[in-house]
Amino acid sequence: MAGVVGPMRRLKLAQAVGVAGGVALMVAPAILAYAARPAGDLHRVVGPLVVSVALIALSGVTVGVRWVNLPLGAALVVAPAIVAHTAGAAVTGVVIGLALMAATPFGGRLGKRFDGGWWALRGHRQAPVGKAQRKR
Amino acid sequence: MGLALVGAAIAGYLSLYQFDVLQTVWEPFFGEGSRTVLSSPVSRLLPIPDAALGALGYLIDAGSGVVGGQDRWRRRPWLVVVFGLAVGPFGATSIVLVILQPVAFGAFCSLCLVSALISVLMIGPAMDELLASLQYLRRVHDQGGSAWRALWGRCDG
């Protein structure tokens, strides 16, 4: 049981939705036959970006990068009003866009082991010196 | 370093096809996709095929891991900073190439996608190590030491 609980605790919703949603965006144009439309290009550009952001945000120190998926999700939601979409493309984009926006806040936070993270470089906090303090 | 070696092996294999050493390339999902992508004009924009450049980048990463050792963030911060600054553009290039595959060439290349995945997965750990080095330099500076000397590994902090 403990072997299951551990990974479950580490599961980050924003990153999981980002990877799944991004891959779905990459394959949907071919499956739903809108690859030749502008919406197809849009989804095949945004898809890899969303996946990449989610994968980069898996690491503790770059967990904040997941917020980039918030405007990308918003772009997917408003795109049908700007670019011609088939019904399938519109549903795909809006559903994945809303899911990305809803999941973004739930992606974990900078752990204590990072001792203030990037903000500590400004000198307002004491930065660590020893590797033993950092549990790498 | 393990990821980098896997990436180097994949990129090296793909570059053998681009150099015409291999007549075919393994593609389990997308039919002629790999051939289309690997033979595209974009892959030959530079004097060296893009897969060969990728293999070189992975090998440099793996090599820096061996040279610096586990505590290179403190012993050789310059190496960590250089690697940290290099891995970002490396990952960004991979993302652009993934976008170009379907949009510009209408095809996907499975091994290219795996290679891109590896280069993106390397960004997080690289930033982790970069932050450790920068925080170390900051601490040295705050304690009145020379961050410049520490950058080159000339003080123990």
Side-chain angles (χ1 to χ4, degrees), chain B residues 21-83:
Chain B
V21 175
L22 298 176
Q23 298 306 307
T24 182
V25 63
W26 184 67
E27 175 48 76
F29 302 117
F30 306 112
E32 291 294 305
S34 286
R35 285 170 178 259
T36 305
V37 170
L38 292 170
S39 307
S40 68
V42 171
S43 71
R44 310 261 177 185
L45 273 180
L46 297 171
I48 305 174
D50 58 350
L53 281 176
L56 186 64
Y58 284 124
L59 285 175
I60 290 172
D61 171 43
S64 70
V66 172
V67 170
Q70 287 265 321
D71 60 349
R72 63 178 180 175
W73 63 276
R74 188 163 57 90
R75 300 279 180 204
R76 293 182 176 85
W78 66 270
L79 191 60
V80 174
V81 171
V82 168
F83 175 58

Side-chain angles (χ1 to χ4, degrees), chain A residues 44-45 48-49 52 55-56 59 61-62 113-115 117-118 120-123 126-131 134 136, chain B residues 70-71 73-74 95 98-99 102-103 108 117 120-121 123-125 127-129 131-132 134-136 138-139 157:
Chain A
R44 290 184 303 194
V45 169
L49 292 176
S52 301
L55 290 175
I56 292 169
S59 181
V61 75
T62 49
R113 79 184 181 96
F114 297 109
D115 298 293
W118 303 100
L121 299 178
R122 299 172 68 190
Q126 185 81 336
V129 67
K131 188 173 182 180
R134 295 180 61 90
R136 284 171 185 284
Chain B
Q70 287 265 321
D71 60 349
W73 63 276
R74 188 163 57 90
I95 296 167
V98 168
I99 290 172
V103 174
F108 274 117
L117 175 70
V120 170
L121 284 173
I123 293 177
M127 292 302 107
D128 185 358
E129 198 176 25
L131 176 62
L134 294 179
Q135 285 183 337
Y136 167 69
R138 177 82 221 183
R139 173 67 176 263

Side-chain angles (χ1 to χ4, degrees), chain A residues 18-37:
Chain A
V19 171
V23 171
L25 284 172
M26 291 169 70
V27 301
I31 294 173
L32 300 177
Y34 63 92
R37 310 289 181 90

Side-chain angles (χ1 to χ4, degrees), chain A residues 85-108:
Chain A
H85 277 55
T86 63
V91 170
T92 302
V94 170
V95 168
I96 293 175
L98 288 174
L100 287 172
M101 294 170 71
T104 295
F106 307 104

